[in-house]
Amino acid sequence: MLVEDLHVMPGHLIRRAQQIAVAIFIEECAAYDLTPVQYATLVAIQENEGIDATRLSAIVALDRSTLGNVLERLENRGLVIRYASADDKRVKLLKMSPSGRALLKRAQVSALRAQERI
């Protein structure tokens, strides 16, 4: 196999497209210090306030371990609040903080511009 063969392989092309899409998003949203996965997580939490991490992982298509790391970063930045469920104290539910809502609102134009570029 030659290197130029990669340029016609769907797996390689999909991986490259994903790398380019992430780079464009990061460039457009640099002022907000958000990755595409963090942005999707914030959007999903805003739309589904009170969601638990298991359901959220299905919505944003991430495994629970990866999502746990994303949520930890967002919580440390004060963008997301985790709180115990009234029905089961072992279950942690998620909601946006006021600063998370404000950041998501400000970042929306940049995220949409990234999608247009992609």
Side-chain angles (χ1 to χ4, degrees):
M1 177 177 293
L2 301 172
V3 172
E4 59 254 14
D5 294 336
L6 293 175
H7 300 288
V8 295
M9 297 183 131
H12 174 74
L13 296 174
I14 290 167
R15 183 184 64 79
R16 285 295 299 136
Q18 193 270 342
Q19 287 175 322
I20 292 165
V22 168
I24 289 170
F25 184 94
I26 294 209
E27 182 181 301
E28 289 293 342
C29 294
Y32 310 106
D33 191 27
L34 282 176
T35 67
V37 169
Q38 291 170 340
Y39 182 81
T41 300
L42 290 173
V43 168
I45 292 171
Q46 179 174 271
E47 189 173 307
N48 299 278
E49 187 159 313
I51 193 169
D52 63 80
T54 299
R55 289 186 329 190
L56 181 62
S57 68
I59 290 171
V60 294
L62 289 174
D63 62 84
R64 294 249 347 247
S65 172
T66 301
L67 181 62
N69 292 332
V70 171
L71 290 172
E72 187 175 328
R73 285 188 207 99
L74 295 173
E75 189 177 28
N76 288 341
R77 290 180 60 189
L79 303 175
V80 170
I81 299 167
R82 285 194 240 208
Y83 60 98
S85 165
D87 299 329
D88 184 346
K89 300 294 182 201
R90 297 170 297 172
V91 175
K92 300 297 182 199
L93 304 178
L94 300 157
K95 68 179 181 179
M96 299 283 288
S97 70
S99 60
R101 285 188 194 288
L103 178 70
L104 191 57
K105 187 175 182 176
R106 290 192 316 271
Q108 186 174 12
V109 170
S110 296
L112 291 174
R113 188 170 43 246
Q115 296 308 306
E116 289 170 7
R117 286 180 58 195
I118 292 166

